[in-house]
Amino acid sequence: MTQDSKIILSKNIEKLRTSQKLTREALSLIFGFENSYISKVEKQRINITIERLDKIASFFGIKTYQLLKPLSKK
């Protein structure tokens, strides 16, 4: 994953998470991830697997590829 992809992904997950008024820890727990996992993704400290991208996208009702491109400002 390129640095640009990590930046876009981290911003998208944060936007989606905050739009649902969820904390990083709460979102991690929803998916059964380590408590600080979403925090690490949003801070671009780790790479995320496709399987986890799929889970996150499905939860927010979007396609997986949409997490890797800038979200519209709607």
Side-chain angles (χ1 to χ4, degrees):
M1 181 175 281
T2 68
Q3 189 60 30
D4 288 344
S5 295
K6 278 185 172 181
I7 291 168
I8 292 168
L9 175 64
S10 68
K11 287 180 180 180
N12 287 345
I13 291 175
E14 183 176 14
K15 283 179 192 174
L16 291 165
R17 177 182 61 74
T18 59
S19 74
Q20 298 292 315
K21 297 182 176 31
L22 293 167
T23 64
R24 292 173 176 151
E25 294 81 12
L27 191 58
S28 291
L29 292 173
I30 287 168
F31 297 121
F33 300 163
E34 171 190 329
N35 192 35
S36 63
Y37 187 81
I38 296 296
S39 177
K40 290 175 185 176
V41 172
E42 286 184 3
K43 292 178 181 178
Q44 305 157 34
R45 293 189 179 149
I46 59 173
N47 288 324
I48 188 169
T49 65
I50 296 295
E51 290 83 10
R52 288 186 172 194
L53 279 177
D54 287 343
K55 277 186 171 183
I56 293 168
S58 179
F59 177 81
F60 288 112
I62 62 174
K63 303 281 185 193
T64 303
Y65 76 88
Q66 291 174 293
L67 288 171
L68 299 172
K69 66 179 204 165
L71 292 175
S72 64
K73 298 187 193 252
K74 292 180 182 178

